[in-house]
Amino acid sequence: MNKGDSDLMAHSLEKAGLRRASGEETADIVVFNTCSVRAHAEERALARIRSARSKGQALIVVTGCMAQRLGKRLLAQGYADLVVGPYQSPRLGEILSSGGGARAYLSQDHRDFAPRTDEAAAGRRDELPFHKWVTITHGCENYCSYCIVPYVRGRLISFPSEAILRHIRQCVEGGATEITLLGQNVNQYGMDSGDIPFHRLLALAAETPGLLRVNFLTSHPMDFRDDIVRVIADHGNISRSVHLPLQSGSDRVLALMNRKYTLERYASIIAHLERTLPDHAVSTDLIVGFPGETEDDYELTLEAVRRFRFDEAFMYAYSPREGTPSFAMEEGIGRERKLERLQNLIDLQRAISREKLLARVDRAEEIIVEGPSKKSPDEYRGRTYLNHPAVLPAGPADVGRKVSVIIKKLRGSTLYGERSA
Ligand code: SAM
Ligand code: SF4
């Protein structure tokens, strides 16, 4: 989401006549686009800002969720010269060129949203990267008890489907071959506005001529319906990788988290995916050490990981966020035990991810080429339709194109492919 927002800000700055600097040291303005999901993300952003302050005289702009959450405190404590929240950041160029006045742009007025599906955001033909982030909803009203997002990004707003589809067509005309539809819970698309449901938007997006791949993030098990799986099955250019955060394997903890599904509901989605999509991948998010999580609850999470065999998981130690309902709940275990639980979980998942990758060796895959690999100038990296990272022999002309390969080996967590006919 932040990458998508950064793209919009870059576009707005360029439209206002600003130019990209070669690095932080030579920039007149440095923009820090921040995250508030965990305390660690904020601590790292604050350290980076302090370091930029100590190096030079650049104007410092803080955007994103930490700007919204800490707002004027960042100004008062000297971290920022200007703070701009997620509602306002798509017009950052306009704000900067209006020549000052206010130093905080934190309003969450819906009208501030118009620039987000601005037709011009598709950019000029020669500059457009092959992949575009396409935000379809902003905000979230699910109020998972640990999560700061509803407070800093506000209520659910679905952008009009017509504007989204027009924007996607323009991206493709400008050279994009892959898009990712973005929202905190894309499955709730249209529920606020009465627009078409998510599975229809996904189908229409995939039917845009010239699109080689459509990804979508994030799905919520509470709203993930069978018709989404049907649309994936019917469209060869929709990614076969579904990101479906489970968070915990314990129904008791899921209820405390206010996730509104049970482990068996999650299992029924996985079973449906297996029945309908012969070849697919599932990735997830998991939190350990949620307040009140017992050893038994934690065991249930490990058991769920063994049962569902996720291709990939993003695993976090619970981080209390002020203003969320779980902030007031007692944590129960110390930091050390929390980190131990996290490490055990990571070890288990890593072994499973490796087995899933090894199972791809000797198989035919299609890869969309992203760019040169770090290790060798003759090797390019990309991702398969199951979202597995892969490397293959390719050149600059292949970037953004689909290439067929046979997977020959696995090194670390990267598949190595050879071109097939
Ligand atoms: N909207 C998505 C969803 O519902 O899963 C993801 C939103 S959140 C930005 C990404 C992930 O961060 C969550 O899925 C959760 O695992 C994790 N997360 C959110 N708040 C957290 C907290 N307070 N402590 C630890 N992890 C957290
Ligand atoms: Fe946060 Fe839950 Fe909304 Fe995801 S669905 S952004 S975890 S409140």
Side-chain angles (χ1 to χ4, degrees):
M1 190 63 86
N2 272 9
K3 282 185 182 169
D5 287 353
S6 294
D7 277 358
L8 288 176
M9 281 191 255
H11 177 72
S12 158
L13 290 168
E14 278 160 12
K15 221 165 59 174
L18 284 95
R19 276 180 300 117
R20 204 180 280 267
S22 56
E24 203 175 304
E25 296 72 24
T26 55
D28 298 315
I29 302 171
V30 182
V31 183
F32 290 91
N33 191 19
T34 59
C35 170
S36 284
V37 168
R38 284 165 293 277
H40 185 59
E42 287 192 349
E43 284 153 15
R44 275 174 46 202
L46 290 171
R48 291 278 300 274
I49 298 169
R50 269 197 303 273
S51 150
R53 266 270 182 261
S54 68
K55 278 189 206 144
Q57 294 303 309
L59 184 93
I60 291 192
V61 183
V62 181
T63 64
C65 293
M66 187 177 77
Q68 191 71 39
R69 197 177 87 78
L70 300 178
K72 293 184 179 156
R73 271 185 274 171
L74 292 171
L75 296 173
Q77 292 168 3
Y79 279 100
D81 300 307
L82 177 69
V83 286
V84 185
Y87 266 53
Q88 310 269 342
S89 58
R91 56 185 200 95
L92 181 59
E94 215 181 291
I95 290 172
L96 280 166
S97 49
S98 70
R103 296 170 67 214
Y105 291 79
L106 304 170
S107 132
Q108 294 193 323
D109 188 321
H110 291 183
R111 279 166 304 187
D112 292 326
F113 250 76
R116 287 194 167 248
T117 46
D118 183 352
E119 297 181 9
R124 287 215 319 271
R125 186 173 288 265
D126 54 342
E127 282 179 355
L128 199 68
F130 76 91
H131 173 268
K132 286 289 281 183
W133 303 101
V134 177
T135 304
I136 63 168
T137 65
H138 184 93
C140 181
E141 290 171 36
N142 292 315
Y143 293 98
C144 300
S145 61
Y146 50 81
C147 184
I148 194 76
V149 170
Y151 308 94
V152 286
R153 285 192 173 258
R155 53 181 273 206
L156 174 74
I157 301 175
S158 300
F159 301 150
S161 54
E162 264 179 38
I164 294 169
L165 292 166
R166 191 171 56 236
H167 178 66
I168 294 172
R169 282 195 298 274
Q170 283 163 344
C171 290
V172 176
E173 276 161 26
T177 54
E178 179 173 6
I179 58 163
T180 301
L181 303 177
L182 281 180
Q184 295 298 340
N185 173 1
V186 286
N187 311 148
Q188 283 180 337
Y189 177 80
M191 288 186 189
D192 57 318
S193 60
D195 208 323
I196 54 174
F198 175 67
H199 69 273
R200 278 298 301 147
L201 182 68
L202 181 61
L204 290 170
E207 283 155 23
T208 308
L211 263 190
L212 298 180
R213 182 151 67 198
V214 178
N215 314 288
F216 57 99
L217 283 175
T218 293
S219 289
H220 192 307
M222 164 177 72
D223 298 302
F224 192 86
R225 308 246 174 281
D226 290 354
D227 26 28
I228 301 172
V229 186
R230 173 57 35 219
V231 166
I232 302 174
D234 289 346
H235 294 80
N237 63 347
I238 299 181
S239 166
R240 265 47 192 161
S241 164
V242 178
H243 185 59
L244 196 64
L246 171 63
Q247 311 298 1
S248 168
S250 154
D251 284 345
R252 200 182 67 80
V253 173
L254 286 173
L256 289 172
M257 287 176 163
N258 193 30
R259 287 291 287 182
K260 304 188 191 90
Y261 54 83
T262 59
L263 187 70
E264 281 321 299
R265 155 82 187 140
Y266 192 92
S268 73
I269 299 174
I270 300 291
H272 185 70
L273 281 167
E274 270 161 16
R275 277 195 308 274
T276 320
L277 297 175
D279 209 14
H280 70 275
V282 179
S283 58
T284 200
D285 293 350
L286 296 161
I287 298 176
V288 300
F290 185 79
E293 181 190 76
T294 62
E295 285 298 324
D296 286 349
D297 293 320
Y298 172 63
E299 266 306 319
L300 289 170
T301 298
L302 297 178
E303 216 169 275
V305 166
R306 286 185 210 107
R307 175 178 178 187
F308 298 131
R309 295 181 56 76
F310 300 111
D311 290 75
E312 194 180 3
F314 300 91
M315 295 160 281
Y316 309 104
Y318 169 71
S319 169
R321 307 308 290 135
E322 199 174 351
T324 62
S326 68
F327 188 72
M329 294 159 73
E330 203 163 323
E331 282 203 57
I333 55 166
R335 187 178 149 72
E336 223 165 82
R337 181 64 196 126
K338 192 156 70 173
L339 293 181
E340 246 172 50
R341 283 185 188 174
L342 180 62
Q343 194 54 53
N344 284 340
L345 177 66
I346 290 173
D347 292 344
L348 170 64
Q349 177 55 44
R350 221 173 249 164
I352 294 170
S353 293
R354 193 174 160 74
E355 285 166 21
K356 302 278 301 229
L357 285 169
L358 267 175
R360 307 309 297 180
V361 173
D362 291 334
R363 296 181 68 133
E365 302 266 8
E366 289 181 321
I367 294 172
I368 295 191
V369 181
E370 291 173 4
S373 85
K374 283 190 192 118
K375 292 201 178 129
S376 153
D378 304 326
E379 281 176 351
Y380 274 60
R381 66 193 151 70
R383 286 191 171 261
T384 70
Y385 277 64
L386 269 63
N387 203 29
H388 292 144
V391 160
L392 70 160
D398 291 312
V399 172
R401 297 234 171 100
K402 184 162 71 177
V403 176
S404 299
V405 299
I406 303 286
I407 301 298
K408 289 292 176 189
K409 63 179 176 193
L410 173 71
R411 200 186 291 158
S413 53
T414 303
L415 297 169
Y416 280 70
E418 264 175 26
R419 280 174 181 257
S420 54

